[in-house]
Amino acid sequence: MWNSCYILAELFSQPLYVPTSALSLLWALPICLSIAVVYKAIKMETIRPKIFVREVLLLFVTIIGFLSIVAAGLLGVACLAGQF
């Protein structure tokens, strides 16, 4: 029992290396699509396939667009902060 507690404590005391790259941002696409599908499945009272697909795609594009705007804004802030 205590051995597993020490292993867990070790994980929190040393950061875990997670390799990141620009290509790893593509993992946001399936996550955003699944969020859009689940949200629309919960919120729509009657699910008709044509309307459901349209609504999911609209929400998916909205989420990706907003994430892109936020990323561009944060990149701008990071560039400005790096110059000072």
Side-chain angles (χ1 to χ4, degrees):
M1 171 70 183
W2 287 105
N3 193 18
S4 61
C5 291
Y6 289 130
I7 293 172
L8 186 62
E10 186 71 23
L11 287 174
F12 283 106
S13 64
Q14 295 178 359
L16 182 64
Y17 174 72
V18 178
T20 56
S21 66
L23 193 59
S24 65
L25 290 175
L26 291 177
W27 284 108
L29 296 177
I31 293 171
C32 292
L33 183 61
S34 62
I35 289 170
V37 167
V38 170
Y39 181 80
K40 285 299 175 179
I42 291 172
K43 289 297 181 181
M44 291 181 72
E45 291 183 16
T46 58
I47 296 178
R48 296 190 181 117
K50 192 174 184 181
I51 296 172
F52 181 72
V53 170
R54 186 187 71 209
E55 292 288 325
V56 166
L57 288 177
L58 182 65
L59 182 59
F60 175 70
V61 169
T62 303
I63 292 170
I64 295 299
F66 184 73
L67 284 176
S68 300
I69 291 169
V70 169
L74 289 174
L75 182 63
V77 169
C79 288
L80 288 175
Q83 291 179 357
F84 295 117

